[in-house]
Structure formats: C-alpha cells, structure tokens
Amino acid sequence: MIRRRIVLLLFVLFFFDTNTSLFCLSFSDTNPNIFWRKNSISSSLNSEQESLPPKKSGYTTDVTYSSYLRSKEEFLGQWKERAQMRKEFLEDGYADLCGKPTPFYKKILRYPYRLFQRMYRPKDPGTLILIRHGQSLWNANQTFTGWADPDLSQKGHREAEHAARLLLEGGYEIDVVFTSRLKRAIRTARIILQELNEVYLPVFKSWRLQERNYGALTGLSKKETAEELGADLIQEWRGSYHARPPALKRTDTYWPGNDRKYADLSDDEIPLTESLEDCMLRTSPVWETRIKRELRKGRNVLVVAHANTLRGLVKTIDGISDDDIQDVALPTGVPMVYKFDQYFKPLDPDGPSQIHTNGLFLEKPTLLKDALTREAEWANNVPGYDSTMARPSRKTMSSLELSLNKLNAERALGEWAGQFITAEDEEDDGSDGNQGKPIQILEATTTTATAVTNHSSSLTTATAAGKNNEAATAEGKNKDDETTTTKITPNIVQSSPCVASLPAASVVPGIGSIPIRKDAVLVIIRHGKTEHNKLKLFTGWEDAPLAMEGIEEAKEAGRLLKLHGFEFDVVYTSWLSRAIETAWHVMDEMDELWLPLIKTWRLNERMYGMLTGLSKRMVAQRHGEKKFMAWRRGYNTPPPKVSSFSPHYPGNDKRYNKYLNDVRFSLKESLIRSIESGRITLRRKLPKSESLKDCMDRTIPFFTERIIPEALDQGKRVLISSSENAIRGLLMHLCEIPEDQISGLEIPNGLPLIFDVNSKCIKLLDDGTGRDPLEVHNFGNAANYLFRPCQNEDGTQDEECDIRFLRTNDDDEDSSKREQDLKLINEIKNRIKRPTATTMKEESVLTTTTE
C-alpha cells in the first residue's frame, strides 16, 4: 500500500503541481531513468529554439516549459508501453509458467535469503538455442516473404528434423520454447519437439518474433526485382541495418492488418515496412521480459524464429556494431547455441562459430545442405530412388537410436556430396546477412575466419499448387474405448440432438463463400484413438501417442469444424501428447496454428493408479468383476495407488516436477526424494490414483475459475481438447448431470461437441451423410442428459435449435432469407460428400487455379 501511495503521489505531482518540471529535474539528477534520460534532456534543452505558446502555469522560460512537455510525452509513452507489455505477458498462458504473483510482504521476507543466494550461490544462466525455421515454399522459389505466411517445404521438414537430431545428439534439454505466429516457424518448432518426444513443453507464440516486414517487396520475386531495380539497391535493403524497403499500403493484399492473427494489435503496432533496426527494436521487449527472464532462472530456452529476428537477438547478445551485423547470417537447420557466465556475458564457443558472434554451431552448415541437394537430384533423375530419410523405421530400434542413425546417414551423405558441390551451385536461402555471401565460420582451434558454403536451401521451382497442403483423410468410425460392446440407446431423449447443419466457412464448389460464426462458443473434443484405446488398456496419465486412426479422426474433426464456419480464439488442452496432438491436427486443418495453445495438467485424464497399462479383462480376472466395475464405473472409488518409485507415478515425470506449481508440497514425497538424492529436495503432492470425483474436482474448478472468466466471458471462441473423464467433468457441470449418472456417459473419440452458451445445450455437426448421430456414435445411457431439449435463457424451449431453422444473426429481421438459407442448406447437402484424399486434392488444385 505504501508503494502504491508513493507512486500515486508522484503521478499527481507530475501533472498538476506548478513546479512539476523543477521537481522532475532535481529527481532525475539522482535517478535519470525515472522519467527520462539526463542526456536526452540536456540535448533537448540545447536544441530548443522555437518560441512556445504563452504559458499560464508559472514556467519562467521556454526551455523549462519545453522540458515539461517532452518529459510528459515520454512518460505517457513509457506508461503505454508498460501496459502493452503487461498485456503481452499474459498472452499464450505465459503467466501460468511464472506461477502466482508473490505478495509484497513475502518478497520482503525472502529478500535476505535471495540476496545471500545471489552473492554466495549464484544460479548459472540457462542455455539459449537459436534455430531458424526450415525452408519455406517461398524460400524455395526466391520470394520476399516477410509477414506473409507460407508453409514449410518438404526440404524444410527435413531441416527441422535434422536440427532436432543435432540437439538430441548433443544432449541438450529444453525447458521452454518461443516462436512467432507464422506457420513456418510454428511447424518447425513442432517438428523439433516431436523428434525430441517433448510436445508437452510450453510454446509461446509472439508477434514480436515475426520476420522483418519487407513492405511493398512482399510477394515479389527476388531475382526479377533485382533485375528491374538493380542488385545493389535490393542488397542494400536486405543487408543494411538502417535501410527500409518501400512501405506497404493498408489496402495492399499483404498488409498484416487483414489477417485475423493480428487482431489484438493496433494499426500503429503493425509495421508497413521495416529495417533490421526496426525489427531488432520490435524484438527487444520479448528478449528482456521473457527470454532473458527464463535464462536467468536457469531454464534452457529454444527460440525458433526467422533470419532477421534472430540476427537482431544475436546483435543484442554479442553487442555487434551496426556495420558488423551486415556480415552475420543464420543458416536453416543448424542450431546456434549460447552459454552465459554469471554476469550474463556469452562464453566463448568450443566449436565452429560465425564471425563477430559467440554462438556455437552444432554442425557446419554445409553438410545438410549438400546432402539434401544431391539427394534431390537423385530423386529427380534416378527412377525408383527412395529417399534415405523417408524410408520407414525399423521397429527393432528405439526412437533415440533411430534419430541418431538418421543423423549419421545425413552426415555421411553430406560429406560425400560436398565433393561435387561447387561455388557456382550456391543459391540464396533467403537470409539477408553477409551481403548474400557465404557464412564466415570461425573454428575453435584457429583464429582465422574461413569462408564456407552458406547453409542454404537449393532453389526448386515452387508451383502455386505447392503452397497448399495436401490433406489425406480416411473414413473412420468412433467407438468408445472403455465401454462394453453393447451400445446403449438413450430412452429419454425428447428431441433429436441439435445438429448444426451446413453452411460452411470454406468455399464450397458451386456454392461460394459461407459466413464465419462470430458468437462465443465452446467446442469440446476427446482425443483421437491411441493404440492403448484399441487394445482396451487403462491409459490414465501414461503418455500414449495417437494411432493412425486417431490422427485421421482429429483431422476429420478439424475439416468438419472449418466446413461449418467455426473459428477459435484460444485452445486449451492437457499435458498428455494424445490431447495435444489432437488439438494440433484440428488447428492445422483449420489453418489456425497461431492460436494460443494453453496446456494444463488439470485437463489430464483420470489417474488410474496400479491399473495403468493393464487391460480391462486382465483387471477383471485378477481382482474380480465387482472390484473392476467399482474402480471403473464408481464415482468415489479410486483404484489401488502406485508406488512413489513406479514409472507410472507422475512424480517421476520431469514435466510435472518442472512446470506444476499450483499444488502444495508433499512432506512425505519431499522426504523420500531428499533421502534418495542426498540433498534437500521439495516435491509437489501429485495423485497416485484418482476416483472419478477426484478427477472432476481438479477439472471443473479450472473451467469455472480460468476458462469462463478469461475466455468465454470475454466473448472468445474456445476449443478444449482433452480425455474422456476430464470431459465428463466439464459436461457434468455444463449439462447438470447427476453424480450417479455421470459414469454412464460415453464420449466418442474425435467427435466435436458444440456447447451453445446461449441455449445451454449440446449440438453435433452434420457431416452431410444424413446419418443419425445416435446410430453412429455411442454416448452411453446418460445421453438423455446430454441431448435434452435446448432452452432459452428464460427457460422456454429453443425452437431454433433445429437443423431446419439454423441461421446467422443477420437473418433475424428477414424471414425470406430463412427460406433461402433452407434451400441453400438442402443444396449443400445434395452436393457435399465426406472428403476423401482424391476429392480434397481436386479441390486444392481448383482453389489454386482460382487464386
């Protein structure tokens, strides 16, 4: 309270006291960073020449009044910037990683201990890993990209996988990931985490890590533009620290303000063009407030971003001059690693590095490039040639063995292919550094800079059709993995399930564009099938990945949601990879990879204790049918607990030890781990077994205390991807299902459940086949609570909750439009078929041709 009062007093004095400027000037002498910098003030005083308006506030000179105006403007600018940073600090769920704010009195009490730690036991900073995204489709055809959003090419996928294998070989552990909102960077980060088997890691997407905005050059061919305007001018725009390309207009196609992913930014925050200096200034806040903060905590940070964004970070870290930064370029597919001393100065690398920098390259940039270039030639010229890295893996290898063997194969191929690559074969990889010349590498054992081949992606002609992802789908049927084979048909359903019928969000051939749904909505989806589900095994918190059927179910759900005009603003999921992968495939199909993906352990599946990994038949045979049914279907009965040293106990999983911070510490577990490690170790109280009630006691509060106030009450459109028992808890709360009935509710895999926040009912999506959803999917004997008649806010029946009357808000005043909508829906039904790989490929080609 005292601190707040002091700040408020200073604020009042600053704006209303007649001697404000004198107070500020005297205050700035002792602390020049409070309101403005002393040097800037002195320079402004010396340069002031103009006559100012008449003053009525008691200022004696124009210079004094000028300093007041300038300080006020600067103060307001800093205030606005801090407010913006506070807002960005909360985006993507980053506040969850930081934990709850520490009360002021606790900070005071802890200060002596923290001061002692800093003085006598300082914590070493974490490791910073910088990776430039893999080759994009526009990199391949030499197009200025900037804030445009093309996807990775096939070569870019390979480069991302290679980068992950280098990290795996080097033994690097990652704690947190930062990337931009562009899909080429997001997908690169995703591929790396998949290869490392760590998709649960927190990933934060910031617009401040976007590539440099190339202004009016965006979308133009680099070669043709250089021929028309001159190579020197183009290279000056690309390589110079201060030069800006011509600016975009807000009416241009590539103006980022037209893209929904930047809806939270003002027009002033969206650049029309940028120099490298502008890009670095934009990146600086995320470095200071996030990346540097995590490094100081001892966490290892992975930044997957773009060439100029990373050049800006490197310039800041190494203190590179404005002239020398033009010599620095970053390759694709090769991690650059920084280690720091206790004073946060970068340590000298013990391997290959680049001139002017202290970042360690985990591999010379030439090897992968040469291998991929030669392999691409073979694939094009040798009939029947099969890419070495594309061959199916041998099941006798573990994932670690497979990754390291692929890495060795790529290196061997690269060293051999390097004999046949000449300087004339080098192509521009899209990096603006080093004036388009090869990267200058410094070996650790020598002091002479040796020019080596720039790690670039060889040019391939990218057709327009190559810019679209070719989606493959498979017809799948949803069957519950934890139910008996006998399907229970609801007997109290008074009306058919609310089926939200087409129209669609995408362009339907022969129909045209269909409106997007803008109202707040909650969509819940259970993860796709895993191999555990198919084998009827209790999974719980065991991290089973999706089976191929599960991947197709998730993709089908994404296509169906997009077809019906759904868009989302935020996605919530658990810390289990099967739920994360489901959310990812849904977002990918909807072209919304940039969405905030907030991961929480509170949406995890129920913890099955000693039943984890056992089949249902096995449990029934060992413990009897009565105990089996009580553990599985009982509301208050937990299965037997696992041991503290069991591989199924969450306390032995590093994700829960590192990131779970909203549960109290366990005295018993802390004592056990302290004895085991020989030093004081604090551990959280994690579940060793859960009843259905225990699962809901952590799921429902998260929904009511976090999702509702932070998202639904703000009018956001929310997607939740989770597991069956967590979803049961959500539906129990939303649909008021009694405790004694909730265990009878079954949740099909991969099926979107639409909860209408206005009519308070569950809706299903019409897939265009005309099938009754209750005949296709098994919802158990509690489906009557799930699909009861929809009601309005006053309790009356919602007559619009029917396939025949679904309409947009604009149709309310025009009944004739309703008839037109009905005809449109019927026409769509006649034309729409479930997507297949062939039809989707034809539609992709048709869309590309139209564009």
Side-chain angles (χ1 to χ4, degrees):
M1 291 298 294
I2 296 176
R3 185 177 59 175
R4 293 180 181 175
R5 290 175 182 175
I6 293 175
V7 172
L8 180 60
L9 178 61
L10 293 177
F11 185 85
V12 173
L13 288 172
F14 183 80
F15 281 100
F16 300 106
D17 192 84
T18 57
N19 295 318
T20 300
S21 65
L22 299 177
F23 172 79
C24 291
L25 284 171
S26 61
F27 196 69
S28 66
D29 287 339
T30 57
N31 191 350
N33 293 322
I34 297 297
F35 294 105
W36 63 81
R37 296 188 180 277
K38 193 172 182 179
N39 293 336
S40 64
I41 287 296
S42 60
S43 62
S44 66
L45 294 178
N46 296 331
S47 62
E48 184 64 36
Q49 300 292 338
E50 298 181 355
S51 175
L52 296 170
K55 304 165 289 299
K56 300 181 180 179
S57 56
Y59 294 102
T60 57
T61 64
D62 289 350
V63 172
T64 306
Y65 187 60
S66 172
S67 67
Y68 162 71
L69 293 179
R70 291 178 184 276
S71 62
K72 180 179 178 180
E73 181 180 355
E74 184 171 346
F75 177 78
L76 291 176
Q78 290 179 356
W79 188 279
K80 182 178 179 181
E81 183 178 353
R82 289 172 183 170
Q84 173 67 17
M85 292 308 301
R86 283 195 297 269
K87 184 188 75 172
E88 294 180 13
F89 189 80
L90 299 175
E91 70 179 358
D92 271 9
Y94 182 69
D96 292 340
L97 183 65
C98 303
K100 296 181 179 180
T102 304
F104 183 68
Y105 76 91
K106 287 188 177 181
K107 291 182 179 180
I108 296 296
L109 295 175
R110 294 176 182 175
Y111 180 76
Y113 172 71
R114 294 187 181 278
L115 182 61
F116 173 80
Q117 271 194 324
R118 285 197 295 267
M119 294 178 61
Y120 299 101
R121 297 180 59 186
K123 181 182 292 186
D124 292 331
T127 299
L128 175 64
I129 304 170
L130 305 179
I131 298 181
R132 182 185 170 194
H133 65 79
Q135 182 197 61
S136 71
L137 294 170
W138 285 23
N139 290 148
N141 62 9
Q142 295 293 287
T143 301
F144 285 105
T145 310
W147 281 37
D149 203 14
D151 211 336
L152 291 183
S153 65
Q154 184 61 39
K155 192 173 185 178
H157 279 262
R158 297 278 299 281
E159 289 173 338
E161 291 174 353
H162 185 79
R165 291 165 192 153
L166 290 173
L167 294 175
L168 196 64
E169 181 192 44
Y172 292 94
E173 293 186 355
I174 299 172
D175 297 318
V176 60
V177 182
F178 292 95
T179 186
S180 73
R181 296 185 187 178
L182 299 175
K183 69 177 67 172
R184 57 188 184 273
I186 299 172
R187 196 178 298 279
T188 299
R190 167 72 178 180
I191 293 171
I192 291 172
L193 295 184
Q194 277 186 313
E195 192 74 16
L196 298 177
N197 197 27
E198 293 182 336
V199 296
Y200 60 84
L201 287 177
V203 179
F204 303 107
K205 307 158 191 170
S206 174
W207 69 276
R208 293 187 178 276
L209 290 174
Q210 304 274 106
E211 174 60 291
R212 169 188 175 189
N213 192 317
Y214 282 104
L217 298 181
T218 304
L220 299 180
S221 168
K222 294 178 181 178
K223 288 187 175 181
E224 294 179 2
T225 307
E227 292 173 0
E228 292 291 333
L229 301 179
D232 293 340
L233 178 61
I234 297 300
Q235 190 56 48
E236 180 183 357
W237 285 339
R238 295 180 61 186
S240 172
Y241 182 65
H242 300 286
R244 295 189 185 102
L248 281 167
K249 298 179 181 179
R250 287 186 168 85
T251 56
D252 289 344
T253 303
Y254 293 111
W255 180 56
N258 298 323
D259 198 324
R260 190 170 73 90
K261 63 169 67 73
Y262 310 116
D264 60 328
L265 305 182
S266 65
D267 288 350
D268 294 336
E269 292 174 317
I270 300 177
L272 299 177
T273 183
E274 285 181 314
S275 64
L276 177 59
E277 180 183 22
D278 299 327
C279 182
M280 188 186 74
L281 292 175
R282 167 166 54 82
T283 307
S284 178
V286 76
W287 161 254
E288 293 292 341
T289 62
R290 289 197 183 189
I291 300 174
K292 199 172 182 180
R293 182 178 187 273
E294 295 301 319
L295 291 171
R296 288 194 182 279
K297 287 186 174 183
R299 291 173 176 159
N300 300 327
V301 178
L302 170 64
V303 179
V304 182
H306 309 267
N308 288 291
T309 308
L310 297 178
R311 287 174 71 205
L313 290 178
V314 168
K315 184 180 187 300
T316 301
I317 295 170
D318 288 309
I320 304 174
S321 67
D322 296 353
D323 294 331
D324 289 341
I325 191 60
Q326 300 181 44
D327 299 330
V328 177
L330 275 86
T332 54
V334 180
M336 190 177 187
V337 179
Y338 277 91
K339 292 183 180 292
F340 304 90
D341 62 16
Q342 296 175 359
Y343 303 100
F344 220 78
K345 293 182 179 179
L347 300 176
D348 294 334
D350 56 358
S353 63
Q354 188 172 183
I355 187 173
H356 306 311
T357 70
N358 289 297
L360 169 68
F361 282 133
L362 296 189
E363 182 180 79
K364 285 188 177 181
T366 52
L367 292 179
L368 178 63
K369 183 262 178 187
D370 293 346
L372 296 181
T373 300
R374 186 59 61 184
E375 189 177 70
E377 294 178 1
W378 290 343
N380 292 330
N381 300 324
V382 179
Y385 174 78
D386 183 21
S387 171
T388 305
M389 298 304 116
R391 295 172 186 170
S393 60
R394 290 181 288 173
K395 294 185 178 180
T396 55
M397 288 187 182
S398 67
S399 59
L400 175 62
E401 292 171 334
L402 178 63
S403 295
L404 295 180
N405 271 280
K406 284 187 174 183
L407 179 62
N408 291 333
E410 287 169 337
R411 283 176 171 165
L413 182 58
E415 291 175 357
W416 178 84
Q419 305 174 62
F420 308 97
I421 304 296
T422 63
E424 290 75 12
D425 296 328
E426 295 300 327
E427 299 287 357
D428 187 357
D429 71 340
S431 176
D432 290 343
N434 202 27
Q435 305 293 325
K437 300 176 183 177
I439 295 178
Q440 301 180 61
I441 297 295
L442 298 177
E443 296 291 349
T445 55
T446 63
T447 58
T448 304
T450 304
V452 300
T453 306
N454 185 14
H455 174 68
S456 61
S457 307
S458 64
L459 271 176
T460 57
T461 304
T463 63
K467 295 183 179 179
N468 296 312
N469 289 330
E470 185 173 323
T473 65
E475 185 97 17
K477 295 182 180 180
N478 292 308
K479 296 180 181 179
D480 185 68
D481 66 309
E482 296 187 0
T483 63
T484 57
T485 56
T486 304
K487 179 180 175 181
I488 303 175
T489 303
N491 53 9
I492 315 180
V493 176
Q494 299 179 10
S495 66
S496 299
C498 299
V499 181
S501 61
L502 309 173
S506 56
V507 176
V508 180
I511 300 297
S513 180
I514 305 300
I516 300 296
R517 301 174 187 272
K518 298 297 184 182
D519 295 336
V521 68
L522 172 64
V523 177
I524 303 173
I525 181 171
R526 182 188 176 190
H527 62 78
K529 289 189 184 68
T530 67
E531 293 296 335
H532 279 56
N533 295 148
K534 294 165 63 177
L535 296 173
K536 304 289 186 183
L537 302 179
F538 284 104
T539 310
W541 285 29
E542 188 170 347
D543 205 11
L546 292 181
M548 291 304 300
E549 295 92 324
I551 293 175
E552 291 303 322
E553 287 170 342
K555 290 182 177 180
E556 176 69 13
R559 287 190 287 265
L560 192 59
L561 286 166
K562 184 176 182 179
L563 190 65
H564 281 267
F566 282 88
E567 286 181 347
F568 297 107
D569 300 306
V570 62
V571 181
Y572 292 88
T573 186
S574 71
W575 281 358
L576 301 174
S577 60
R578 54 188 182 274
I580 299 172
E581 289 177 7
T582 298
W584 167 268
H585 289 299
V586 171
M587 294 161 62
D588 195 11
E589 291 296 326
M590 300 181 70
D591 196 21
E592 293 183 340
L593 293 180
W594 55 271
L595 285 176
L597 181 61
I598 299 176
K599 305 166 187 175
T600 171
W601 73 276
R602 294 188 176 275
L603 290 177
N604 275 17
E605 176 59 290
R606 171 187 173 190
M607 173 59 186
Y608 280 110
M610 291 183 64
L611 305 187
T612 304
L614 302 179
S615 70
K616 297 170 177 62
R617 181 176 297 181
M618 189 183 300
V619 174
Q621 188 274 330
R622 290 182 181 180
H623 300 280
E625 190 70 25
K626 184 177 180 180
K627 283 188 176 181
F628 166 67
M629 292 305 297
W631 291 336
R632 186 185 178 201
R633 295 300 182 189
Y635 184 70
N636 292 291
T637 307
K641 296 181 179 181
V642 294
S643 162
S644 297
F645 299 98
S646 168
H648 300 307
Y649 175 54
N652 296 317
D653 191 324
K654 69 176 183 179
R655 77 188 75 178
Y656 302 107
N657 293 327
K658 281 190 175 183
Y659 305 112
L660 195 148
N661 53 25
D662 57 349
V663 176
R664 70 175 179 84
F665 288 105
S666 169
L667 179 60
K668 178 182 176 181
E669 289 300 318
S670 298
L671 181 60
I672 292 174
R673 302 300 174 178
S674 298
I675 295 174
E676 177 192 22
S677 61
R679 59 187 179 87
I680 298 177
T681 304
L682 297 179
R683 288 298 174 89
R684 304 276 180 177
K685 184 176 178 58
L686 296 171
K688 296 183 177 181
S689 178
E690 285 183 318
S691 64
L692 185 56
K693 179 181 182 301
D694 297 329
C695 178
M696 294 181 180
D697 285 345
R698 59 173 163 83
T699 302
I700 295 177
F702 180 82
F703 178 77
T704 56
E705 298 171 11
R706 288 288 310 277
I707 298 179
I708 290 180
E710 293 180 5
L712 292 176
D713 286 350
Q714 305 300 322
K716 294 183 179 180
R717 297 158 292 183
V718 178
L719 171 66
I720 298 178
S721 172
S722 188
S723 303
E724 183 175 39
N725 284 292
I727 293 176
R728 279 175 175 163
L730 299 179
L731 295 178
M732 178 182 176
H733 171 76
L734 294 170
C735 301
E736 300 177 354
I737 303 176
E739 294 179 359
D740 59 346
Q741 298 293 324
I742 188 63
S743 61
L745 180 65
E746 309 293 349
I747 313 297
N749 294 93
L751 179 68
L753 303 177
I754 318 300
F755 180 75
D756 193 316
V757 296
N758 296 319
S759 56
K760 309 297 182 185
C761 66
I762 296 293
K763 299 181 181 181
L764 302 178
L765 300 179
D766 183 9
D767 60 2
T769 62
R771 300 176 298 178
D772 183 356
L774 292 182
E775 294 181 357
V776 179
H777 307 292
N778 178 22
F779 292 94
N781 55 13
N784 54 305
Y785 295 98
L786 206 61
F787 299 118
R788 55 185 159 189
C790 300
Q791 295 181 345
N792 297 314
E793 294 183 0
D794 58 1
T796 60
Q797 184 169 347
D798 184 5
E799 296 181 354
E800 298 178 3
C801 188
D802 185 84
I803 186 174
R804 295 168 295 173
F805 298 102
L806 187 71
R807 60 180 187 273
T808 60
N809 294 333
D810 296 336
D811 296 336
D812 291 338
E813 299 178 359
D814 190 354
S815 58
S816 63
K817 280 190 174 182
R818 302 178 187 177
E819 298 179 0
Q820 296 175 4
D821 286 349
L822 181 60
K823 292 180 181 179
L824 180 61
I825 290 172
N826 291 332
E827 185 175 358
I828 294 175
K829 275 189 169 184
N830 294 332
R831 296 184 180 219
I832 288 294
K833 298 179 180 179
R834 180 179 292 272
T836 62
T838 304
T839 57
M840 288 198 68
K841 184 174 181 180
E842 293 174 353
E843 290 179 11
S844 175
V845 174
L846 177 62
T847 305
T848 303
T849 305
T850 304
E851 292 177 353

